[in-house]
Amino acid sequence: MVKHSTQLLDRTFSALADPTRRSLLEHLALGDCCVTDLARPHRMSLPAVSKHLKVLEGAGLVSRQKQGRVHSLKLEAAPMKQAQQWIEEYRRFWEASFDRLEDYLKQLQPNETKHEDPN
Amino acid sequence: MVKHSTQLLDRTFSALADPTRRSLLEHLALGDCCVTDLARPHRMSLPAVSKHLKVLEGAGLVSRQKQGRVHSLKLEAAPMKQAQQWIEEYRRFWEASFDRLEDYLKQLQPNETKHEDPN
């Protein structure tokens, strides 16, 4: 398996382990926006949204740009790609072991046929 | 986006947010094994491994079969597939917004050409 940054994966998976944070990321996938716009559909207070955004920023999943008093939030791809890669490699690795089992069972079949009673 | 089980995703991502648990899953991807076999390469005590396994079992990522005193552990695919699906859909959604931006910029280009000075 490819070596991933352990801490980056820890922080990414931890950030994704909350429905509000996943929802904020889905919202930001539509385009950059400010904290107030993010808070509105979630019916959350600004401090509550800010708390979740801090976790997402800590994981590097979201970056913040300050334009005067307005803070614009933007998705960052890299950490999510690492997380996706980990699951993907793990899946391939795992499915490969199923394939090996399947191959093994196929190899067994002809021998089993020989033992079958012709009647 | 497809509706996923929120609690299942919470538990899966939370379980994946620890390097030891990810390592245990990678180990189990090689094949079923017992707690003692899992503990050995991690140089961990049996209670420490059991604690992590409980989290993985709670997330449905690992199941346990008891054969007398030996507990055999097995990977379970469903929760990981859900997690992978969430990231995958999110990525498509996000990349689609980049594509839309690219299309928009391409649409702008011919108009910009018209304004170019022929000299």
Side-chain angles (χ1 to χ4, degrees):
Chain A
M1 283 197 149
V2 171
K3 282 276 168 207
H4 296 291
S5 159
T6 303
Q7 282 191 331
L8 187 74
L9 281 177
D10 290 358
R11 280 197 296 256
T12 306
F13 284 129
S14 183
L16 295 178
D18 180 276
T20 306
R21 288 197 290 270
R22 289 197 300 275
S23 178
L24 290 173
L25 289 173
E26 286 168 11
H27 191 145
L28 281 169
L30 294 167
D32 303 355
C33 60
C34 67
V35 183
T36 325
D37 289 340
L38 278 174
R40 205 173 293 128
H42 294 94
R43 294 179 185 179
M44 286 174 79
S45 67
L46 290 182
V49 170
S50 293
K51 207 175 157 186
H52 282 301
L53 284 173
K54 269 193 181 171
V55 179
L56 293 171
E57 286 177 78
L61 288 160
V62 165
S63 66
R64 186 186 292 250
Q65 282 187 315
K66 293 174 190 175
Q67 291 173 316
R69 289 180 66 181
V70 178
H71 291 204
S72 179
L73 297 147
K74 188 187 183 312
L75 277 183
E76 295 296 337
M80 194 68 90
K81 276 189 184 161
Q82 280 248 8
Q84 189 197 19
Q85 229 177 351
W86 185 86
I87 296 184
E88 190 60 27
E89 279 167 27
Y90 166 90
R91 189 181 64 85
R92 275 188 212 156
F93 198 48
W94 186 4
E95 283 181 357
S97 69
F98 276 123
D99 290 344
R100 282 197 299 275
L101 178 68
E102 210 173 351
D103 289 346
Y104 174 72
L105 293 173
K106 274 181 192 162
Q107 278 173 8
L108 281 182
Q109 268 178 339
N111 298 329
E112 281 172 1
T113 317
K114 284 176 196 165
H115 296 296
E116 267 180 18
D117 191 338
N119 304 316
Chain B
M1 282 195 146
V2 171
K3 282 276 167 207
H4 297 292
S5 160
T6 302
Q7 282 192 331
L8 187 74
L9 281 177
D10 290 359
R11 281 197 296 255
T12 306
F13 284 129
S14 182
L16 294 179
D18 181 276
T20 306
R21 288 198 289 270
R22 288 196 302 274
S23 177
L24 291 173
L25 288 173
E26 287 168 10
H27 191 146
L28 281 169
L30 294 167
D32 303 356
C33 60
C34 66
V35 184
T36 326
D37 290 339
L38 278 174
R40 204 172 295 128
H42 294 93
R43 293 179 186 179
M44 286 175 80
S45 67
L46 290 182
V49 170
S50 292
K51 207 175 158 187
H52 282 300
L53 284 172
K54 269 194 182 171
V55 180
L56 293 171
E57 286 177 79
L61 288 160
V62 165
S63 66
R64 187 185 291 251
Q65 281 188 316
K66 293 175 191 175
Q67 291 173 316
R69 289 180 66 182
V70 178
H71 291 204
S72 180
L73 297 146
K74 188 185 182 313
L75 277 182
E76 295 296 337
M80 194 68 90
K81 275 189 183 161
Q82 281 248 9
Q84 190 198 18
Q85 230 177 350
W86 186 86
I87 296 185
E88 191 59 28
E89 278 167 29
Y90 165 90
R91 189 180 64 84
R92 275 186 211 157
F93 198 47
W94 186 5
E95 283 180 356
S97 69
F98 277 123
D99 290 344
R100 282 197 300 274
L101 178 69
E102 210 173 352
D103 289 345
Y104 174 71
L105 293 174
K106 274 180 191 162
Q107 278 172 9
L108 281 182
Q109 270 178 337
N111 297 330
E112 281 172 2
T113 316
K114 284 175 196 166
H115 297 295
E116 267 180 17
D117 191 336
N119 304 316

